[in-house]
Amino acid sequence: AWLQNKMEPVKNTPSFDKQIKKNILKKLIAAESFEHFIHSKFVGHKRFSLEGSETLIPVLDMILTEAAEHNIKEVVLGMAHRGRLNVLVNIIGKSYESIFGEFEDIRDPNSIAGSGDVKYHLGATGNYRTIAGKSITVSVAANPSHLEWVNPVVEGMVRAKQTRLGDNKSHVKVMSLLIHGDAAFAGQGVVAETLNLSQLSGYRTGGTIHIIVNNQIGFTTTPDEARSSQYATDVAKMIQAPIFHVNGDDPEAALWVAQLAFEYRQIFKKDVVIDLFGYRKHGHNEGDEPGFTQPILYAKIKDHPSVREIY
């Protein structure tokens, strides 16, 4: 009933003002420019680029803006490799210098044992300033290559932070946000395990927003060969979580969904899933050529304008 009342009167068509629209474009330009610079400056370096799913950045901006308005003190992010560097720069506020320094293999000589981990495993914490001028703490958990293993780690971090703030009953001060790849969300059992704990009093964190950065491909595997379910998100049906499928080439629709998802989480204190459909501009990482395994798909992607151009 709540969803009907939100979606049907406006026919699921958002009306954003000029300021928000300009902000969307600004975030898309920042996301795309960052990727383009690295692509031309550090040729062939692995970075798990966000190109094809840049809409993630304005979506995160919207969720953090809403969270700050609702006096949430901190958002803890867990995510896959894809787009991590972009999120670190454009959302966490990690400096360009330190990111490019890592590409040049410049490490802090004073750190114990060096920070020898690869760029797209590292975590960070920063303060995000919203369009309304508010500030919110946002952190990305460090995680190695075991993709979805970071999910229960983030939930544990959030629950611990809530306990420390005396917030482990109301869950209004700290929020978890998990970003997944489509193949990993459908393919890794730890996703189902984490969802299964989400409503138990010993583990609940007051609802997690899940965002699937849906490239419609897992390394070289197409969806029809990767899973038996229709959607990558079908595993979330087991806890009756609402799932919003949205076109990543339509940033305003994606922001509308982000608002709905956040509001749902606030009211019902349950998990909610955004399935952000996009594509992957380059290979699984920038060291492989996707045209060998998916020639038809990648011929289409080559001719497809970026979301910034479309917008």
Side-chain angles (χ1 to χ4, degrees):
W2 181 83
L3 284 170
Q4 278 178 317
N5 287 335
K6 295 297 284 184
M7 296 162 101
E8 290 186 1
V10 295
K11 295 192 169 69
N12 245 351
T13 308
S15 58
F16 291 120
D17 61 24
K18 266 193 186 143
Q19 190 195 14
I20 290 181
K21 290 182 178 186
K22 280 181 178 168
N23 192 51
I24 293 173
L25 186 59
K26 208 170 100 184
K27 297 292 169 198
L28 289 174
I29 290 169
E32 191 184 281
S33 308
F34 173 74
E35 299 292 358
H36 282 183
F37 178 81
I38 294 184
H39 198 64
S40 53
K41 182 91 174 110
F42 304 103
V43 180
H45 268 255
K46 280 188 197 179
R47 70 176 193 279
F48 294 93
S49 120
L50 189 59
E51 284 169 273
S53 298
E54 292 96 337
T55 306
L56 176 66
I57 300 299
V59 163
L60 290 176
D61 170 70
M62 172 58 85
I63 292 171
L64 291 172
T65 299
E66 292 283 343
E69 290 303 317
H70 288 78
N71 298 315
I72 290 174
K73 288 184 164 41
E74 182 176 0
V75 174
V76 182
L77 282 141
M79 65 182 297
H81 299 344
R82 185 155 320 284
R84 177 180 290 248
L85 299 183
N86 212 311
V87 168
L88 285 173
V89 162
N90 288 314
I91 300 293
I92 309 290
K94 186 169 176 173
S95 74
Y96 289 117
E97 288 84 356
S98 65
I99 291 263
F100 299 148
E102 285 161 11
F103 273 101
E104 302 275 13
D105 277 340
I106 299 163
R107 304 220 174 92
D108 176 8
N110 300 320
S111 67
I112 307 296
S115 68
D117 206 352
V118 284
K119 299 173 280 296
Y120 37 83
H121 287 171
L122 301 173
T125 299
N127 280 313
Y128 190 73
R129 289 201 67 76
T130 71
I131 191 170
K134 292 197 173 179
S135 182
I136 182 169
T137 303
V138 54
S139 42
V140 173
N143 73 308
S145 289
H146 307 289
L147 300 170
E148 302 293 336
W149 271 99
V150 78
N151 301 351
V153 175
V154 166
E155 300 297 349
M157 286 166 70
V158 169
R159 180 62 184 244
K161 286 172 189 281
Q162 289 173 343
T163 303
R164 202 181 294 157
L165 294 167
D167 183 39
N168 58 341
K169 290 279 186 282
S170 50
H171 314 292
V172 293
K173 293 178 181 166
V174 188
M175 184 180 95
S176 47
L177 199 162
L178 295 173
I179 301 169
H180 314 264
D182 51 315
F185 195 78
Q188 290 199 260
V190 71
V191 173
E193 294 171 39
T194 307
L195 290 169
N196 214 359
L197 294 171
S198 67
Q199 291 301 301
L200 303 181
S201 63
Y203 301 92
R204 71 163 69 105
T205 56
T208 298
I209 297 176
H210 300 266
I211 303 175
I212 317 281
V213 176
N214 197 329
N215 298 311
Q216 306 176 67
I217 190 166
F219 193 11
T220 60
T221 309
T222 48
D224 54 324
E225 292 182 328
R227 59 175 186 264
S228 303
S229 60
Q230 172 89 39
Y231 291 104
T233 50
D234 283 349
V235 64
K237 289 179 179 176
M238 70 185 218
I239 55 161
Q240 308 283 294
I243 300 163
F244 298 101
H245 306 283
V246 63
N247 179 3
D249 274 350
D250 183 348
E252 288 183 25
L255 260 68
W256 164 239
V257 159
Q259 279 181 326
L260 278 177
F262 178 81
E263 228 174 303
Y264 177 89
R265 185 263 172 198
Q266 286 300 95
I267 294 167
F268 298 104
K269 301 277 184 251
K270 287 185 173 172
D271 286 42
V272 53
V273 182
I274 298 169
D275 188 10
L276 185 66
F277 270 84
Y279 56 93
R280 192 184 69 193
K281 184 95 198 276
H282 306 290
H284 171 67
N285 59 53
E286 287 64 33
D288 65 73
E289 173 46 68
F292 292 143
T293 47
Q294 264 79 29
I296 297 168
L297 174 64
Y298 272 85
K300 274 187 180 172
I301 287 173
K302 253 191 187 67
D303 296 337
H304 189 73
S306 76
V307 60
R308 175 194 59 82
E309 289 172 58
I310 293 168
Y311 193 58

